[in-house]
Amino acid sequence: MPADTVPGGIVPERTWPVSRETESVDEPSDSRDDRYRQEIAESVPRGDDDTPLAAQLADDARRRIALVGRSLPRPSYPRIMTLANQKGGVGKTTSTVNLAAALSQGGLTVLVVDADPQGNASTALGVDHHGDVPGTYDVLVDGTPIADVVAQCPDLPGVTCVPATVDLSGAEIELVPEVAREYRLRKSLKAYLGGLDHPPDFVLVDCPPSLGLLTLNALVAADEVMVPIQCEYYALEGLAQLLRTVDLVKANLNPPLTVTTVLLTMYDGRTRLASDVAQQVRDLFGDRVLKAAIPRSVRLSEAPSHLQTVMTYDPTSSGALSYLEAAREICEKGGAEHG
Ligand code: ADP
Ligand code: MG
């Protein structure tokens, strides 16, 4: 492979415009973005799109032209979105952190609340979450203000995070006898957002793989639910239970709560199974399913071990492009009723 190509890509290896804050100041960003688009356009293979690889590369390059350096429409109020699915391994955490990074690359600000005791979102965002670090546990159990525990994500200037430590696993039990135990996160979040001159544009809450008190707190705190669905056999199993839980929360605890967004993850377009599952999900949820489906991608699964999202680890990968597309759709579609 020539030295100026990157594995799986056709874009010359150079500093990619990762975020507005990393841009150099001596060239206007518009003209630089135009120049990048021009270079990418020139690198699109011509006339040989007939091999699958060339077609894929050309398609990725065209998508990049449409996405690089574009800013996203800012919502008029902080959109609080909980990513929930009681199945493990469906892409909740991967979607939370990469959407946060994608939104911030589009010029928006995002608060990620890690509500999973495994703390995988905190890891991927490069935020410290060893035992002594205060985080979601302290907010839920001790009523510590979010302002006292929120951390800046090192690689993502627009993203902050309330980290999760292993202590959080105890919260499911410790909260049981507490008064208004389902409202704890909501109360803290409202107080935090209300006290900020510039609240974040999005709050994304990453849930554990269960429908216990942590997920309940996340659902009561949010206006919107995003359901990531893995394009595999059994994907729809358990979904009815999740939707029932959302309906119960809506009826009893948080009337505005709505499933606004469904995201297909680990989509492998070459398999019949993936397209069958995608079709079933689209039949069930209609236009709540984002057009952008996240492909199965090694780069996405590698990124957390480098304490990064794929948006900085490999911004030209198809996984990164898909999360950029998903972020754009989420912004353009707008949110639910604002509670
Ligand atoms: P959840 O939070 O729902 O349990 P994760 O986001 O942690 O799911 O994903 C489960 C595993 O699958 C992780 O190892 C993650 O790196 C990997 N993964 C997630 N999305 C993708 C994808 N699109 N392609 C490849 N691997 C993925
Ligand atoms: Mg997770």
Side-chain angles (χ1 to χ4, degrees):
M1 190 188 316
D4 63 347
T5 58
V6 290
I10 52 172
V11 179
E13 204 167 48
R14 62 163 56 84
T15 310
W16 200 255
V18 168
S19 71
R20 306 216 157 276
E21 284 72 5
T22 58
E23 288 166 356
S24 83
V25 287
D26 37 3
E27 186 183 1
S29 65
D30 282 356
S31 77
R32 191 171 45 252
D33 290 345
D34 285 348
R35 187 163 53 74
Y36 277 125
R37 278 190 205 102
Q38 178 68 29
E39 287 174 9
I40 295 166
E42 282 165 6
S43 71
V44 176
R46 273 169 243 281
D48 56 356
D49 287 16
D50 46 351
T51 70
L53 180 61
Q56 168 77 50
L57 294 176
D59 185 46
D60 277 3
R62 286 187 201 102
R63 290 164 67 202
R64 235 171 265 142
I65 294 166
L67 291 163
V68 161
R70 307 265 192 209
S71 54
L72 293 170
R74 190 178 297 281
S76 55
Y77 59 89
R79 285 179 62 181
I80 308 177
M81 197 179 246
T82 283
L83 284 88
N85 187 332
Q86 77 276 27
K87 277 170 90 92
V90 299
K92 290 182 289 298
T93 302
T94 306
S95 301
T96 305
V97 300
N98 287 295
L99 284 172
L103 290 165
S104 84
Q105 287 193 8
L108 304 185
T109 51
V110 186
L111 168 68
V112 171
V113 178
D114 191 348
D116 183 352
Q118 293 182 64
N120 293 340
S122 313
T123 304
L125 292 172
V127 170
D128 217 1
H129 62 111
H130 60 79
D132 298 334
V133 172
T136 310
Y137 172 89
D138 306 78
V139 171
L140 290 175
V141 176
D142 297 334
T144 307
I146 288 181
D148 293 355
V149 303
V150 74
Q152 174 62 51
C153 302
D155 292 334
L156 302 165
V159 183
T160 50
C161 173
V162 179
T165 58
V166 283
D167 293 351
L168 190 56
S169 52
E172 291 271 14
I173 296 157
E174 288 174 56
L175 283 175
V176 170
E178 298 293 331
V179 181
R181 58 197 179 186
E182 301 91 351
Y183 288 96
R184 297 235 155 180
L185 182 59
R186 181 190 179 89
K187 218 169 130 238
S188 297
L189 205 50
K190 299 273 169 193
Y192 175 64
L193 297 176
L196 293 175
D197 289 338
H198 300 289
D201 298 306
F202 276 83
V203 178
L204 302 180
V205 188
D206 185 28
C207 286
S210 72
L211 292 174
L213 266 175
L214 289 171
T215 298
L216 210 52
N217 263 276
L219 292 174
V220 174
D223 296 322
E224 304 179 50
V225 184
M226 175 190 292
V227 185
I229 296 181
Q230 186 184 4
C231 294
E232 292 289 350
Y233 198 55
Y234 295 133
L236 302 180
E237 209 185 51
L239 219 52
Q241 198 189 351
L242 173 64
L243 298 179
R244 249 193 327 271
T245 305
V246 171
D247 284 345
L248 279 172
V249 171
K250 187 178 175 67
N252 298 294
L253 304 166
N254 180 18
L257 188 68
T258 310
V259 177
T260 55
T261 314
V262 174
L263 178 62
L264 297 166
T265 64
M266 299 182 228
Y267 181 78
D268 184 346
R270 295 166 306 182
T271 69
R272 173 83 188 272
L273 176 64
S275 47
D276 284 355
V277 171
Q279 192 53 52
Q280 282 178 32
V281 173
R282 290 188 195 283
D283 291 346
L284 199 62
F285 290 99
D287 62 7
R288 287 183 284 177
V289 186
L290 297 183
K291 292 190 193 81
I294 309 302
R296 190 173 276 288
S297 146
V298 176
R299 307 304 260 170
L300 276 169
S301 54
E302 284 172 353
S305 60
H306 298 267
L307 308 184
Q308 285 185 52
T309 68
V310 84
M311 309 306 300
T312 53
Y313 177 64
D314 188 354
T316 65
S317 63
S318 58
L321 290 176
S322 298
Y323 275 112
L324 277 177
E325 286 170 339
R328 171 162 296 279
E329 270 188 75
I330 290 167
C331 290
E332 285 174 351
K333 273 167 70 146
E337 184 190 341
H338 180 38

